[in-house]
Amino acid sequence: MTTLVRGARQLLTLRGDSRPRRGAAMRELGIVANGAALIKDGVIVDAGPARRIEKLPAARRAREIDAAGRVVMPGFVDSHTHLVFGRPRLGDYEMRLAGASYAEIAAAGGGILSSMKAVRGMPAAQLEAQARASLAAMARHGTTTLEAKSGYALDEAGELKTLRVLARLNGHPLDIVPTYLGAHIVPPEYRGKPDAYIDWMAAEMMPQIRRRKLARFVDVYCDDGAFTIEQSRRYLEHARRLGFGLKIHAEQFAHMGAARLAVELEAASADHLEQAGDEDIRALAQSNTIATLLPGSVFHLGLRTYAPARALIEAGAAVALATDFNPGTSPTYSMQMVLSLACTEMRMSPAEAITAGTINGAHALRVSDRAGSLEPGKQGNLLLLDASDYRELPYYFGANNVHMTIKTPCPEQS
Ligand code: NIG
Ligand code: FE
């Protein structure tokens, strides 16, 4: 099966070297005017000027998709989501709008704990239906690869149930990179005994998740009311020893030192960073840890402090953007909305935001060998935008500017 996508007024290839994009490189989208892309058996043969691509031998027998003057770009890589949560928290939302804080809502029985009760109690089929509907909405909004975390059950049966739902959904049709977020909050069974909970996760959960290949990453929520820096370190060191990649919810509400812990442990990413300071920015800039920013959660919570995106980019950190899709702080399917927030609220340029939502997201998931750009050998995952200039993407905010999402199977799964 060969497909030729032709007629792109702007083809955003995002071509470049194999490293995460930093500084000025974040503004280079590898734009080809009048571009085309040739995809064979799900893999990009080549993407570039139409006059060259259309002459390739395989293009002759190809099925054609006419972009008709639209922008064509790689599918979004949403590198931070809490996909499986059962049901939305609409009561929490209303309470917060009436003035209650995130902590007050949690104290009143809402928050992560209420999602925990919902997920524990739901049959896998029901969780799968919720996640499947969410994935369909993400696909319509242009996401083709996403990370998805467990962390709303916290007990053995529920976390394995969540991770198995993710394994079943992977590739149908979006590619899912699964993460174990056992250390989201301390569950009621271990109230007052966070260290015992960590010991249990390290001894009982992580080895079997690893053995069954149910997660590629392990994540921790390091914050007031969640896990301390020492607890996070111990938990992540266990995960690293078992061969997991590491991620940290870092400096979201309280400044904990988690960004520097991420750098020290060579985590794949440090996510959130709203409270990150100059030292954190410097450390991230000198590391290979991706600074993943989640402005959807700041927006939805009605807060004012966004992560210091400009300072991070100017210092040379590799910045990614993701939705943080979850029922408490960021119920959005839309990477497009995240890009609009990144531009308007964090002063990222449209080009930087697109880099952050594609190739740098792929680096945060360590799938940059197959996703995040339109280059030979990568998956044929691409978007046709209802736009003739890429800057329209963040500019027309709150709308779905994706005309078509093209998703081909991940080679590993086919
Ligand atoms: O990334 N901050 C911790 N975890 C999520 C929110 C989880 C929830 O409220 O359900 C986040 O914002
Ligand atoms: Fe999160």
Side-chain angles (χ1 to χ4, degrees), residues 354-394:
I354 288 172
T355 298
T358 55
I359 186 67
N360 277 3
H363 280 288
L365 298 184
R366 299 194 170 143
V367 294
S368 61
D369 56 326
R370 59 172 207 248
S373 67
L374 302 180
E375 295 179 279
K378 291 205 183 187
Q379 280 173 263
N381 298 341
L382 44 88
L383 310 178
L384 273 55
L385 304 182
D386 272 324
S388 53
D389 183 308
Y390 72 87
R391 293 171 295 184
E392 292 173 48
L393 186 57

Side-chain angles (χ1 to χ4, degrees), residues 180 182-206 220 226-238:
Y180 173 57
H184 201 182
I185 54 167
V186 179
E189 294 80 0
Y190 285 93
R191 186 160 294 137
K193 297 180 288 186
D195 288 301
Y197 180 51
I198 290 169
D199 291 341
W200 174 78
M201 289 187 285
E204 300 297 329
M205 293 302 289
M206 291 182 194
V220 54
F227 292 87
T228 66
I229 197 80
E230 290 75 24
Q231 290 160 355
S232 301
R233 180 197 300 279
R234 209 159 65 74
Y235 167 85
L236 292 172
E237 281 173 348
H238 280 297

Side-chain angles (χ1 to χ4, degrees), residues 226-344:
F227 292 87
T228 66
I229 197 80
E230 290 75 24
Q231 290 160 355
S232 301
R233 180 197 300 279
R234 209 159 65 74
Y235 167 85
L236 292 172
E237 281 173 348
H238 280 297
R240 187 167 65 167
R241 226 171 287 129
L242 290 169
F244 290 103
L246 308 182
K247 292 183 169 288
I248 311 188
H249 279 71
E251 332 295 9
Q252 182 181 11
F253 297 115
H255 187 273
M256 307 286 288
R260 270 168 287 170
L261 179 64
V263 170
E264 181 194 320
L265 298 179
E266 298 178 312
S269 66
D271 302 41
H272 277 291
L273 302 172
E274 285 86 351
Q275 315 300 329
D278 292 345
E279 292 285 306
D280 306 315
I281 292 167
R282 247 195 307 279
L284 286 162
Q286 285 161 13
S287 78
N288 291 317
T289 298
I290 307 286
T292 300
L293 311 184
L294 310 167
S297 65
V298 183
F299 171 76
H300 181 73
L301 294 175
L303 301 175
R304 294 284 167 268
T305 307
Y306 285 85
R310 280 262 54 89
L312 282 161
I313 292 171
E314 269 141 38
V319 170
L321 288 166
T323 59
D324 194 14
F325 178 62
N326 79 72
T329 69
S330 194
T332 182
Y333 306 111
S334 176
M335 285 293 285
Q336 299 172 63
M337 181 66 192
V338 168
L339 267 57
S340 294
L341 290 170
C343 293
T344 297

Side-chain angles (χ1 to χ4, degrees), residues 89-101 104-110:
R89 301 212 300 265
L90 304 175
D92 289 12
Y93 181 47
E94 255 186 334
M95 258 183 89
R96 197 175 49 250
L97 298 179
S101 71
E104 285 164 346
I105 291 165

Side-chain angles (χ1 to χ4, degrees), residues 120-132:
R120 284 185 180 184
M122 256 183 214
Q126 204 177 334
L127 286 175
E128 191 172 324
Q130 171 264 311
R132 197 181 289 281

Side-chain angles (χ1 to χ4, degrees), residues 48-103:
R51 31 170 220 294
R52 181 164 67 75
I53 303 300
E54 288 173 11
K55 279 198 203 107
L56 294 171
R60 248 177 273 140
R61 299 173 306 279
R63 168 183 75 143
E64 288 187 11
I65 295 175
D66 186 3
R70 294 186 171 86
V71 174
V72 174
M73 64 172 282
F76 289 117
V77 180
D78 187 351
S79 60
H80 182 139
T81 87
H82 305 250
L83 176 72
V84 183
F85 54 73
R87 61 173 80 100
R89 301 212 300 265
L90 304 175
D92 289 12
Y93 181 47
E94 255 186 334
M95 258 183 89
R96 197 175 49 250
L97 298 179
S101 71
Y102 191 61

